Coordinates of all heavy atoms in Angstrom, one line a residue:
Chain A
E188 N -68.2 6.7 -29.5 CA -68.1 5.6 -28.6 C -67.0 5.8 -27.6 O -66.9 5.0 -26.6 CB -67.9 4.3 -29.3 CG -69.0 4.0 -30.3 CD -70.3 3.7 -29.7 OE1 -70.4 2.9 -28.7 OE2 -71.4 4.2 -30.2
Q189 N -66.2 6.8 -27.8 CA -65.0 7.0 -26.9 C -65.5 7.3 -25.5 O -66.4 8.2 -25.3 CB -64.1 8.1 -27.4 CG -63.3 7.7 -28.6 CD -62.3 6.7 -28.3 OE1 -61.5 6.8 -27.3 NE2 -62.2 5.6 -29.1
P190 N -64.9 6.7 -24.4 CA -65.3 7.1 -23.1 C -65.3 8.6 -22.8 O -66.2 9.1 -22.0 CB -64.4 6.3 -22.2 CG -63.9 5.2 -23.0 CD -63.9 5.6 -24.4
Y191 N -64.4 9.3 -23.4 CA -64.3 10.7 -23.0 C -65.5 11.5 -23.6 O -66.0 12.5 -23.0 CB -63.0 11.4 -23.4 CG -62.6 11.4 -24.8 CD1 -63.1 12.4 -25.7 CD2 -61.7 10.5 -25.3 CE1 -62.8 12.5 -27.0 CE2 -61.3 10.6 -26.7 CZ -61.8 11.6 -27.5 OH -61.5 11.6 -28.8
E193 N -68.5 10.0 -23.9 CA -69.6 9.5 -23.0 C -69.5 10.3 -21.6 O -70.5 10.7 -21.1 CB -69.5 8.0 -22.8 CG -69.7 7.3 -24.0 CD -70.1 5.8 -23.9 OE1 -69.5 5.2 -22.9 OE2 -70.8 5.3 -24.6
A194 N -68.3 10.5 -21.2 CA -68.1 11.2 -19.9 C -68.6 12.7 -20.1 O -69.2 13.2 -19.2 CB -66.6 11.2 -19.5
A195 N -68.3 13.2 -21.3 CA -68.8 14.6 -21.5 C -70.3 14.6 -21.6 O -71.0 15.6 -21.0 CB -68.2 15.1 -22.9
I196 N -71.0 13.6 -22.2 CA -72.4 13.6 -22.2 C -72.9 13.5 -20.7 O -73.8 14.2 -20.3 CB -72.9 12.3 -23.0 CG1 -72.5 12.5 -24.5 CG2 -74.4 12.2 -22.9 CD1 -72.7 11.2 -25.3
A197 N -72.2 12.6 -20.0 CA -72.7 12.4 -18.6 C -72.5 13.6 -17.8 O -73.2 13.8 -16.8 CB -71.9 11.2 -18.0
S198 N -71.5 14.5 -18.1 CA -71.4 15.7 -17.4 C -72.1 16.9 -18.0 O -71.8 18.0 -17.8 CB -69.9 16.0 -17.1 OG -69.2 16.1 -18.3
G199 N -73.1 16.6 -18.8 CA -74.1 17.6 -19.2 C -73.6 18.5 -20.4 O -74.2 19.5 -20.6
T200 N -72.6 18.0 -21.1 CA -72.2 18.9 -22.2 C -73.2 18.7 -23.4 O -73.6 17.6 -23.7 CB -70.8 18.4 -22.7 OG1 -70.0 18.4 -21.6 CG2 -70.2 19.4 -23.7
R201 N -73.6 19.8 -24.0 CA -74.6 19.8 -25.1 C -73.9 19.3 -26.3 O -72.7 19.5 -26.6 CB -75.2 21.2 -25.3 CG -76.0 21.6 -24.1 CD -76.9 22.9 -24.5 NE -77.9 23.1 -23.5 CZ -77.6 23.8 -22.4 NH1 -76.4 24.3 -22.2 NH2 -78.6 24.0 -21.5
V204 N -71.5 21.5 -28.4 CA -70.2 21.7 -27.7 C -69.4 20.4 -27.8 O -68.2 20.4 -28.0 CB -70.5 22.1 -26.3 CG1 -69.1 22.3 -25.6 CG2 -71.4 23.3 -26.2
R208 N -65.8 20.6 -29.4 CA -64.7 20.4 -28.4 C -64.1 19.0 -28.5 O -62.9 18.9 -28.3 CB -65.2 20.7 -27.0 CG -64.0 21.1 -26.1 CD -64.5 21.4 -24.7 NE -65.3 22.6 -24.6 CZ -66.1 22.9 -23.6 NH1 -66.3 22.0 -22.7 NH2 -66.8 24.0 -23.5
H209 N -64.9 18.0 -28.7 CA -64.4 16.7 -28.5 C -64.2 15.9 -29.9 O -63.3 15.2 -30.1 CB -65.3 15.8 -27.6 CG -65.3 16.3 -26.2 ND1 -64.3 16.1 -25.3 CD2 -66.2 17.1 -25.5 CE1 -64.6 16.6 -24.2 NE2 -65.7 17.3 -24.3
P212 N -61.8 18.4 -33.0 CA -60.3 18.4 -32.9 C -59.7 17.0 -33.2 O -58.6 16.9 -33.7 CB -60.1 18.8 -31.5 CG -61.3 19.5 -31.1 CD -62.4 18.9 -31.9
N213 N -60.4 16.0 -32.9 CA -59.9 14.6 -33.1 C -60.1 14.1 -34.5 O -59.6 13.1 -34.9 CB -60.4 13.7 -32.1 CG -59.9 14.0 -30.7 OD1 -58.7 13.8 -30.4 ND2 -60.7 14.4 -29.8
A216 N -56.8 15.5 -37.7 CA -55.7 14.8 -38.3 C -56.0 14.0 -39.5 O -55.4 14.3 -40.6 CB -55.0 14.0 -37.2
L293 N -49.1 12.5 -37.7 CA -50.3 12.7 -36.9 C -50.9 11.4 -36.4 O -51.9 11.4 -35.6 CB -51.4 13.5 -37.7 CG -51.0 14.9 -38.2 CD1 -52.0 15.4 -39.1 CD2 -50.8 15.8 -37.0
Chain B
R62 N -74.3 2.2 -17.6 CA -74.5 3.1 -18.7 C -76.0 3.5 -18.9 O -76.3 4.6 -19.3 CB -73.9 2.6 -20.0 CG -72.4 2.5 -20.0 CD -71.9 1.4 -20.9 NE -72.3 1.6 -22.3 CZ -71.6 2.3 -23.2 NH1 -70.4 2.8 -22.9 NH2 -72.1 2.5 -24.4
L65 N -76.7 6.1 -16.3 CA -76.2 7.4 -16.8 C -77.0 8.0 -17.9 O -76.7 9.1 -18.4 CB -74.8 7.2 -17.3 CG -73.7 7.0 -16.3 CD1 -72.4 6.5 -16.9 CD2 -73.4 8.3 -15.6
L67 N -77.0 7.0 -21.0 CA -76.2 7.1 -22.3 C -77.0 6.4 -23.4 O -76.7 6.6 -24.5 CB -74.8 6.4 -22.1 CG -73.9 7.1 -21.2 CD1 -72.6 6.3 -21.0 CD2 -73.5 8.5 -21.7
R91 N -80.4 17.6 -17.3 CA -79.2 18.2 -16.8 C -79.0 18.2 -15.3 O -77.9 17.8 -14.8 CB -79.1 19.6 -17.3 CG -78.5 19.7 -18.7 CD -78.6 21.1 -19.3 NE -77.6 21.9 -18.9 CZ -76.4 22.0 -19.5 NH1 -76.2 21.1 -20.5 NH2 -75.4 22.7 -19.1
R94 N -77.9 14.8 -14.4 CA -76.5 14.5 -14.8 C -75.5 15.1 -13.8 O -74.4 14.5 -13.6 CB -76.2 15.1 -16.2 CG -77.1 14.5 -17.3 CD -76.2 14.3 -18.5 NE -76.9 13.8 -19.7 CZ -77.2 12.5 -19.9 NH1 -76.7 11.6 -19.0 NH2 -77.8 12.0 -20.9
Q98 N -72.3 10.7 -11.8 CA -71.1 10.9 -12.6 C -70.4 9.5 -12.8 O -70.9 8.5 -12.2 CB -70.1 11.8 -12.0 CG -70.6 13.3 -12.1 CD -70.5 13.7 -13.6 OE1 -69.5 13.6 -14.3 NE2 -71.6 14.2 -14.1
V99 N -69.5 9.5 -13.7 CA -68.9 8.2 -14.1 C -67.4 8.2 -14.1 O -66.8 9.3 -14.4 CB -69.5 7.7 -15.4 CG1 -69.2 8.7 -16.5 CG2 -69.0 6.3 -15.8
F101 N -64.5 5.8 -15.9 CA -64.4 4.7 -16.8 C -63.1 3.8 -16.5 O -62.2 4.2 -15.8 CB -64.4 5.2 -18.2 CG -65.7 5.6 -18.8 CD1 -66.0 7.0 -18.9 CD2 -66.7 4.7 -19.0 CE1 -67.2 7.4 -19.4 CE2 -67.9 5.1 -19.5 CZ -68.2 6.5 -19.7
S106 N -58.4 6.2 -22.9 CA -59.5 6.7 -23.8 C -60.5 7.5 -23.1 O -61.4 8.1 -23.7 CB -60.1 5.5 -24.5 OG -60.7 4.7 -23.6
S107 N -60.4 7.6 -21.7 CA -61.5 8.4 -21.0 C -61.2 9.9 -20.9 O -62.0 10.6 -20.4 CB -61.8 7.8 -19.7 OG -60.7 7.8 -18.9
L108 N -60.0 10.3 -21.4 CA -59.7 11.7 -21.4 C -59.4 12.2 -22.8 O -58.6 11.5 -23.5 CB -58.4 12.0 -20.5 CG -58.5 11.5 -19.0 CD1 -57.2 11.7 -18.3 CD2 -59.6 12.2 -18.3
N109 N -60.0 13.2 -23.2 CA -59.8 13.7 -24.6 C -58.3 14.1 -24.7 O -57.8 15.0 -24.0 CB -60.6 15.0 -24.8 CG -60.6 15.4 -26.2 OD1 -59.7 15.2 -26.9 ND2 -61.6 16.2 -26.6
P110 N -57.6 13.5 -25.7 CA -56.1 13.7 -25.8 C -55.8 15.1 -26.2 O -54.6 15.5 -26.1 CB -55.7 12.7 -26.9 CG -56.9 12.3 -27.6 CD -58.1 12.4 -26.6
R111 N -56.7 15.8 -26.7 CA -56.4 17.2 -27.2 C -56.8 18.3 -26.2 O -56.8 19.4 -26.6 CB -57.0 17.4 -28.6 CG -56.3 16.5 -29.6 CD -56.9 16.7 -31.0 NE -56.3 15.7 -31.8 CZ -55.1 15.7 -32.3 NH1 -54.4 16.7 -32.2 NH2 -54.7 14.7 -33.1
M112 N -57.2 17.9 -25.0 CA -57.6 18.9 -24.0 C -56.6 18.9 -22.9 O -56.2 17.8 -22.4 CB -59.0 18.7 -23.5 CG -60.1 19.2 -24.5 SD -61.7 18.5 -24.0 CE -62.1 19.6 -22.7
E120 N -64.8 21.6 -17.7 CA -66.0 21.4 -18.6 C -67.3 21.1 -17.8 O -68.2 21.8 -17.9 CB -65.7 20.2 -19.5 CG -66.8 20.0 -20.5 CD -66.5 19.0 -21.5 OE1 -65.5 18.2 -21.3 OE2 -67.2 18.9 -22.6
P121 N -67.3 20.2 -16.8 CA -68.5 20.0 -16.0 C -68.8 21.2 -15.2 O -70.0 21.6 -15.0 CB -68.2 18.8 -15.2 CG -66.8 18.5 -15.3 CD -66.3 19.1 -16.5
N124 N -70.5 23.6 -17.5 CA -71.8 23.1 -17.9 C -72.9 23.4 -16.9 O -74.0 23.6 -17.3 CB -71.7 21.6 -18.2 CG -71.0 21.3 -19.5 OD1 -70.9 22.1 -20.3 ND2 -70.5 20.0 -19.6
F125 N -72.6 23.2 -15.7 CA -73.6 23.3 -14.6 C -73.5 24.7 -14.0 O -74.2 25.0 -13.0 CB -73.5 22.2 -13.6 CG -73.6 20.9 -14.2 CD1 -72.5 20.0 -14.1 CD2 -74.8 20.5 -14.7 CE1 -72.7 18.7 -14.7 CE2 -74.9 19.2 -15.3 CZ -73.9 18.3 -15.3
R171 N -62.7 14.7 -12.4 CA -63.8 15.2 -13.3 C -65.1 14.7 -12.8 O -66.1 15.4 -12.9 CB -63.6 14.6 -14.8 CG -64.7 15.0 -15.7 CD -64.4 14.5 -17.1 NE -64.2 13.0 -17.1 CZ -63.7 12.4 -18.2 NH1 -63.4 13.0 -19.3 NH2 -63.5 11.1 -18.1

Side-chain angles (χ1 to χ4, degrees):
Chain A
E188 304 290 316
Q189 288 292 312
Y191 62 82
E193 299 198 324
I196 296 170
S198 54
T200 310
R201 292 194 169 84
V204 182
R208 201 183 286 160
H209 296 281
N213 289 296
L293 296 174
Chain B
R62 291 152 59 94
L65 285 165
L67 291 175
R91 276 170 84 82
R94 296 222 181 274
Q98 285 293 306
V99 61
F101 285 106
S106 61
S107 62
L108 304 174
N109 187 340
R111 292 183 191 276
M112 279 169 79
E120 187 171 18
N124 283 340
F125 300 115
R171 175 178 57 191

